[in-house]
Amino acid sequence: MSTEYRGSCLCGAVHWEIRGPIARTSRCWCTMCQKQHGAAYAPYANAARADFVITQGEDALAHYASSPGVDRSFCKVCGSNIGWTTTEAADRIAVAMGTFDTPYEGLVTRDLHLDTKPAWIP
């Protein structure tokens, strides 16, 4: 698998790169991710924060502290979720897989917060 990935938001204002390996991937079923994505779950790729670089549109990024120590970033033009970080793992970033432009060929390896998975999902 590639160790460099590129991505962007819906409107193209924000572009990013992951310049290293993805450690793991997950589907988060927590209610905060559901609301941020407007979907039943949010798929994320976990990478080293040092490997994640905004290559365009740093000024178009907005941040929201969704809970203590958690910072969610999104494009303030189109609203695309870019990812989130936490002070509990300050050296990591969870990047929204829906923003990838480079195809990710691996599988999602973890499901998180299944206790809040919607009943309408089989």
Side-chain angles (χ1 to χ4, degrees), residues 55-75:
T55 58
Q56 176 184 311
E58 183 82 38
D59 59 332
L61 273 181
H63 297 271
Y64 174 68
S66 61
S67 53
V70 176
D71 178 75
R72 294 176 182 267
S73 60
F74 58 96
C75 175

Side-chain angles (χ1 to χ4, degrees), residues 27-46:
R27 280 181 296 257
C28 186
W29 299 88
C30 82
T31 56
M32 283 189 280
C33 284
Q34 289 171 10
K35 288 185 180 290
Q36 185 176 26
H37 279 264
Y41 66 86
Y44 289 107
N46 186 287

Side-chain angles (χ1 to χ4, degrees), residues 1-34:
M1 269 184 258
S2 173
T3 58
E4 184 167 306
Y5 298 90
R6 290 181 176 81
S8 59
C9 65
L10 176 63
C11 71
V14 178
H15 288 255
W16 57 261
E17 291 181 1
I18 297 173
R19 297 174 179 168
I22 291 174
R24 65 186 167 278
T25 55
S26 62
R27 280 181 296 257
C28 186
W29 299 88
C30 82
T31 56
M32 283 189 280
C33 284
Q34 289 171 10

